[in-house]
């Protein structure tokens, strides 16, 4: 299980400094959850960790390292808020696309049998084995997110960065997918961005709040017990109340 260590991170788009001197450790095999107002820099921090920033006017500093000393590049799976499924590919082909793109040219048209078998196994885990040949537009929002989760699992990377992956779902589907992700991503190092304090407290081993301009991280909240935590746990609801109060307070302080 891989710790990811971010030290003295700084990012500016031109004159706009989003954060500087920011330290964060994503503990191996645990879920780190990140809350914060719109525009504060959460997605940018995710992109920073993934090393996705480049281009004119973007300044980045600091380091992202792994505790095993190996580069993080190639060891990250990304799950975005929008499911980014390709509409012309079947569910199965969406899931195996990463493998095909990495495959040698001669076998890019067809998945190797073992890849297909693994994809079908993962589809079964997310409860969509009967939808393998269906196009994404025939799926509900929750089913599409399950395909996106399946694609993330298919990549089988030790580090998973998730940017509001359950944001657009109804309450019940969201809870089910949270549970499923928790089960299937056990032992991975996960960073989850969410706007939902309850989601963060249910799933996170550490819950941080990114706030201010330039943004800083508050001390971590570490809810008791293993995730996913029960919604009937009174300690969780108490923490949610406190966290919401804090978020509201800080929004008010931060507003012009
Ligand atoms: N490539 C870019 N070039 C210039 N400015 C950018 C770029 N990407 C993001 N920004 C700006 O940086 C700020 C933070 O954006 P970011 O997407 O990280 O916010 P966020 O916290 O993820 O917000 P949300 O909760 O709405 O997704 C915003 O003001 C945005 O306009
Ligand atoms: Mg964002």
């Amino acid at each position: 299980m891989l710790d990811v260590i971010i030290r003295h991170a700084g990012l500016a788009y031109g004159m706009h400094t989003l954060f500087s001197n920011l330290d964060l450790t994503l503990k191996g095999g645990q879920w780190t959850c990140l809350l914060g107002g719109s525009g504060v820099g959460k997605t940018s921090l995710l992109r920073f960790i993934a090393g996705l920033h480049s281009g004119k006017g973007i300044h980045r500093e600091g380091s992202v390292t792994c505790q095993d000393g190996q580069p993080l590049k190639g060891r990250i799976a990304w799950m975005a808020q929008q499911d980014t499924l390709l509409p012309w590919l079947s569910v199965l082909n969406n899931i195996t696309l990463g493998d095909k793109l990495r495959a040698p040219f001669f076998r890019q048209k067809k998945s190797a049998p073992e890849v297909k078998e693994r994809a079908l196994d993962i589809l079964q885990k997310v409860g969509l084995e009967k939808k393998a040949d269906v196009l994404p537009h025939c799926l509900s929002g929750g089913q599409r997110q399950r395909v996106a989760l399946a694609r993330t699992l298919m990549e089988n990377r030790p580090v998973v960065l998730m940017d509001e992956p359950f944001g657009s779902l109804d309450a019940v589907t969201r809870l089910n997918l949270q549970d499923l992700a928790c089960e299937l991503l056990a032992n991975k190092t996960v960073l989850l961005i969410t706007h939902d304090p309850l989601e963060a407290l249910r799933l996170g081993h550490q819950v941080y709040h990114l706030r201010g301009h330039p943004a800083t991280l508050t001390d971590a909240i570490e809810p008791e017990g293993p995730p996913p935590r029960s919604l009937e746990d009174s300690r969780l609801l108490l923490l949610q109340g406190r966290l919401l109060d804090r978020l509201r307070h800080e929004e008010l302080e931060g507003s012009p």
Side-chain angles (χ1 to χ4, degrees):
M1 287 188 263
L2 198 63
D3 280 7
V4 178
I5 303 142
I6 299 125
R7 288 292 173 267
H8 309 300
L11 181 71
Y13 297 122
M15 301 299 284
H16 181 190
T17 300
L18 280 186
F19 48 84
S20 67
N21 214 13
L22 189 139
D23 291 340
L24 173 66
T25 299
L26 309 179
K27 292 193 183 162
Q30 300 198 354
W31 284 57
T32 303
C33 294
L34 189 61
L35 295 156
S38 185
V40 75
K42 301 179 298 299
T43 299
S44 298
L45 180 56
L46 225 66
R47 293 175 66 82
F48 179 93
I49 294 169
L52 289 178
H53 285 110
S54 64
K56 228 174 140 198
I58 298 179
H59 307 282
R60 55 171 287 156
E61 55 190 35
S63 62
V64 181
T65 54
C66 301
Q67 110 270 15
D68 64 1
Q70 300 299 312
L72 183 57
K73 198 166 176 254
R75 294 198 283 178
I76 295 177
W78 183 286
M79 189 171 165
Q81 178 172 20
Q82 306 303 333
D83 54 50
T84 63
L85 301 180
L86 296 180
W88 58 88
L89 291 183
S90 70
V91 164
L92 185 66
N93 285 336
N94 262 289
I95 295 179
T96 53
L97 181 65
D99 173 74
K100 276 193 204 134
L101 292 176
R102 286 187 296 269
F105 183 71
F106 65 86
R107 80 155 180 88
Q108 281 194 345
K109 283 222 165 90
K110 205 162 180 279
S111 296
E114 66 275 13
V115 173
K116 189 173 172 191
E117 198 179 318
R118 207 171 134 246
L120 289 172
D121 181 52
I122 289 176
L123 269 183
Q124 191 184 9
K125 285 197 173 107
V126 301
L128 287 177
E129 66 277 23
K130 294 201 176 113
K131 303 282 185 187
D133 298 322
V134 157
L135 290 175
H137 75 266
C138 301
L139 300 175
S140 70
Q143 289 171 334
R144 291 175 66 107
Q145 281 306 86
R146 276 192 273 161
V147 178
L149 180 60
R151 191 176 49 185
T152 308
L153 292 169
M154 189 70 196
E155 292 297 305
N156 195 23
R157 305 284 167 88
V159 178
V160 181
L161 304 180
M162 305 171 102
D163 195 353
E164 299 181 45
F166 315 124
S168 56
L169 303 174
D170 70 82
V172 173
T173 309
R174 177 187 262 232
L175 279 177
N176 289 339
L177 264 173
Q178 286 173 358
D179 289 353
L180 190 67
C182 226
E183 182 193 329
L184 299 179
L185 296 176
N187 302 326
K188 309 263 187 214
T189 304
V190 179
L191 176 58
L192 170 78
I193 292 179
T194 174
H195 280 292
D196 178 358
L198 190 57
E199 180 168 277
L201 292 167
R202 240 193 126 220
L203 299 180
H205 293 89
Q206 289 85 32
V207 177
Y208 290 95
H209 179 203
L210 189 68
R211 52 178 283 245
H213 306 284
T216 53
L217 284 172
T218 53
D219 290 341
I221 296 173
E222 299 189 349
E224 286 175 43
R229 302 180 183 92
S230 163
L231 287 178
E232 287 168 14
D233 184 338
S234 54
R235 292 169 303 180
L236 197 72
L237 299 177
L238 192 68
L239 270 180
Q240 185 198 14
R242 284 197 198 140
L243 187 53
L244 269 171
D245 256 357
R246 196 161 98 186
L247 292 172
R248 200 162 59 162
H249 210 70
E250 284 160 2
E251 287 293 310
L252 284 176
E253 277 177 1
S255 60

